[in-house]
C-alpha cells in the first residue's frame, strides 16, 4: 500500500475492500452488485474535519422551519403543545437515532452508510427501496429550500422570484463542484451564523421578559397563556387538545433532521473513529439550543393569537415579516432587526438547500456503487466531487421554477407533498439497520465493549431505541390522521399523506422479485467488508497528522487552544 498523502486516498477503495481478500473491492453476495472500478471512476475524499462536523451537527439541518415555519403549529396547537411536541420528538427520536447512527458509522464509516448497511445487513431489496425513497426525498427538499430562499429575499424586493431561484441553484452547484471541503467550510460558516442568531434571540428574549425592553414591560411568561397553552384541533375538548399536540409531533417529524446527514457524511469524514463519536456525543446541543431554548423563548416573546402573527399568516407574508421572533421583538418596541434576521434566515434556507443537495448527490453516488443507478454516476473529479450526481441533482432542482407560475405551482406542491413522509421511511430503515447491527455483532463473536468505537449512554440502549422506533412507525402511519375527519377528506390529501410508505413497499417487493434477493441472517450480515482498509487508512492518517510540525507562535497557540475547547 502506498504512503498516504494529505488527501488520505489509498491504493485500495476504502469502502469496497473485500472481507476475504482486501483487493477484491467487493462484498461476497450474489444479490448485491457493488463492484466499482476506482481507477476508472475515482472516489470521494475524506476531507471533512472535526471543526466542520462539530458545527454542522449542531446547525446544518436547521432552516426556515425554526425561524418562520413554527408560526403555523403555534397558532394551530398552542404554545405548550408546540414546546412539548418538539421536545418529545427531539429527545425520544432524533437524539437516540443520532446515537445509533454514530455507533454504526464509527464502526464501519463506508460510503453510503445506512443505504448500504440495509443491503448488506438486512436485504438488498430494502437497500434499494431506502435509497430510491431517500434520493427522491432529498431532491424534493432541495427544491423546497431553494424556493424558500427566493421567497425570503421577497421580503426586500418584488422582483421575479425566478431570478433568485436561479441564483440559489447556481450557487449550490458552484460550491458542490469544488469538493467536500468547500461544502464543509460553507456549512461551518452558515451553522455559526445560525447558532449566533438563535443564541442572540434567546438572550434578547430573556432580557426582554425580565423588563429590559423599551417599554419597560416585565411580561414574563404571560404570552404563553394568552393564546392558550393547548388548543383544540378538529374537535373540541381533551381529544381536540391531544390532536393539536399530535399535529405538532408530525410537524416536528418533518422539521427535525440530522441523523440521516450524519450517516451520509460518514464516508467523507477525516479520522471517522474520532469525529463521528464526537458528533454523537454533541447531538444534545442541538436539542437544548434549538428546540428547548429556541421554542421556549419564542413562546415567551410572541403569543399564539398575536394579531400581527395571525395577519401575517392570513396575508401570506414572507421572510422575517412572518417570523414569530420578529413580531415579538417589534411588540416590545425594538425596530430595525427585521433585515438582519431576514438575512440569517435567507442563509439558513440556502444552507439547508446546500445540505440536501449534498445528501442527494451522495445518495445517487451510493446508488451507483450498489448498482441501483448506472455506473457513470460514480464518476468523481480529482477533488472527490461526484460530478454527474451533482449535475443531475441540480437539474432536478430546476423543478423549483414551477412554483413561479400559479398554473404550475399546484404541480410543484404535489411533488413536495409526495416527499414529506420519505424521511420517516428512511428513519424506519435506519432503526432496522441498528437492531440488525447489534444482533450481528453478537452472532459473529464481536465484543461490544471492546470492538466498537462508540457506546451511547446506558439509558439510551436498548429501550429508548425501541420506543423511538415505535414512535417513528406511529407518526408514519398516522401522519394523515386529519383527512379522516368530517369535511377534510380528499383523494389528493390521502395520496400525498401515504404515497411514500406505499411506494417504499412497492419498491421493496419489486426489487426482491426482479433480483431474487434474500433476507440476511445475523451470522451472514456483512459488517466487516471495508473495515480493515479503513483501519489502515485512519492509522496512516493519524501518523501523517502527528508528523506535521506545529506552529508555536502566540496566535497559533491561542487558536489551537480555542479550537480544542470548542471542537474537541
Amino acid at each position: 500500500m502506498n504512503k498516504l498523502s494529505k488527501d488520505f486516498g489509498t491504493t485500495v477503495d476504502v469502502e469496497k475492500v473485500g472481507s476475504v481478500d482486501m483487493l477484491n473491492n467487493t462484498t461476497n453476495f450474489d444479490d448485491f452488485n457493488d463492484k466499482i472500478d476506482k481507477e476508472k471512476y475515482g472516489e470521494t475524499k475524506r476531507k471533512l474535519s472535526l471543526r466542520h462536523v462539530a458545527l454542522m451537527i449542531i446547525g446544518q439541518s436547521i432552516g426556515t422551519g425554526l425561524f418562520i415555519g413554527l408560526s403555523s403549529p403555534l397558532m394551530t396547537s398552542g404554545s405548550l403543545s408546540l414546546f412539548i411536541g418538539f421536545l418529545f420528538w427531539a429527545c425520544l427520536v432524533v437524539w437516540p437515532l443520532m446515537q445509533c447512527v454514530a455507533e454504526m458509522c464509527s464502526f464501519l464509516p463506508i460510503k453510503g452508510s445506512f443505504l448500504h448497511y440495509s443491503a448488506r445487513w438486512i436485504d438488498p431489496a430494502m437497500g434499494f427501496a431506502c435509497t430510491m425513497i431517500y434520493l427522491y426525498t432529498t431532491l424534493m427538499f432541495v427544491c423546497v429550500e431553494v424556493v424558500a430562499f427566493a421567497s425570503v429575499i421577497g421580503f426586500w424586493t418584488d422582483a421575479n422570484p425566478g431570478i433568485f431561484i436561479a441564483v440559489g441553484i447556481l450557487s449550490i452547484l458552484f460550491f458542490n463542484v469544488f469538493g467536500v471541503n468547500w461544502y464543509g467550510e460553507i456549512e461551518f460558516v452558515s451553522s455559526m451564523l445560525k447558532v449566533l442568531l438563535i443564541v442572540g434571540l434567546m438572550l434578547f428574549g430573556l432580557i426582554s421578559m425580565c423588563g429590559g425592553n423599551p417599554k419597560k414591560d416585565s411580561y414574563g411568561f404571560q404570552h404563553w397563556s394568552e393564546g392558550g397553552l393547548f388548543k383544540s384541533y378538529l374537535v373540541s375538548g381533551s381529544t381536540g387538545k391531544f390532536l393539536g399536540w399530535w399535529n405538532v409531533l408530525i410537524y416536528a417529524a418533518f422539521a427535525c433532521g440530522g441523523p440521516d446527514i450524519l450517516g451520509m457524511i460518514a464516508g467523507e469524514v477525516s479520522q471517522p473513529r474520532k469525529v463521528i463519536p464526537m458528533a454523537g456525543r454533541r447531538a444534545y446541543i442541538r436539542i437544548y439550543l434549538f428546540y428547548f431554548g429556541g421554542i421556549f423563548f419564542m413562546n415567551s416573546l410572541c403569543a399564539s393569537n398575536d394579531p400581527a402573527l395571525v395577519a401575517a399568516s392570513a396575508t401570506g407574508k414572507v421572510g422575517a415579516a412572518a417570523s414569530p421572533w420578529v413580531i415579538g421583538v417589534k411588540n416590545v418596541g425594538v425596530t430595525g432587526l427585521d433585515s438582519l434576521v431576514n438575512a440569517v434566515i435567507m442563509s439558513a434556507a440556502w444552507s439547508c438547500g446546500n445540505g440536501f443537495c449534498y445528501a442527494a448527490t451522495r445518495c445517487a453516488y451510493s446508488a451507483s456503487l450498489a448498482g441501483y443507478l448506472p455506473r457513470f454516476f460514480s464518476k468523481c473529479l480529482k477533488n472527490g466531487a461526484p460530478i454527474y450526481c451533482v449535475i443531475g441533482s441540480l437539474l432536478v432542482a430546476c423543478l423549483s421554477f414551477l412554483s413561479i407560475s400559479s398554473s404550475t405551482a399546484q404541480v410543484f406542491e404535489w411533488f413536495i407533498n409526495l416527499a414529506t413522509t420519505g424521511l420517516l421511511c428512511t428513519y424506519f430503515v435506519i432503526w432496522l439497520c441498528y437492531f440488525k447491527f447489534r444482533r450481528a455483532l453478537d452472532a459473529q463473536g464481536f465484543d461490544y465493549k471492546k470492538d466498537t468505537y462508540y457506546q451511547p449512554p446506558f439509558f439510551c440502549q436498548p429501550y429508548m431505541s425501541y420506543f423511538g422506533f415505535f414512535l417513528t412507525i406511529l407518526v408514519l402511519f398516522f401522519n394523515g390522521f386529519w383527512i379522516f375527519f368530517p369535511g377534510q377528506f380528499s383523494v389528493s390529501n390521502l395520496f400525498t399523506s401515504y404515497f411514500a410508505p406505499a411506494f417504499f413497499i412497492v419498491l421493496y417487493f419489486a426489487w426482491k422479485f426482479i433480483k431474487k434477493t434474500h433476507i440476511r441472517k445475523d451470522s451472514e450480515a456483512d459488517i466487516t467488508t471495508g473495515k480493515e482498509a479503513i483501519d489502515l487508512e485512519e492509522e496512516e492518517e493519524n501518523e501523517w497528522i502527528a508528523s506535521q510540525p506545529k506552529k508555536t507562535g502566540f496566535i497559533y497557540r491561542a487558536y489551537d487552544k480555542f479550537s480544542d475547547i470548542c471542537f474537541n
Side-chain angles (χ1 to χ4, degrees), residues 102-133:
E103 188 176 332
M104 291 187 293
C105 290
S106 60
F107 183 85
L108 192 62
I110 59 174
K111 302 172 182 70
S113 60
F114 61 84
L115 303 176
H116 283 196
Y117 297 161
S118 53
R120 291 167 52 163
W121 302 350
I122 303 174
D123 187 340
M126 182 71 73
F128 173 75
C130 180
T131 300
M132 293 299 105
I133 282 289

Side-chain angles (χ1 to χ4, degrees), residues 150-161:
S151 68
V152 168
I153 297 178
F155 175 79
W156 292 305
T157 177
D158 293 328
N160 190 321

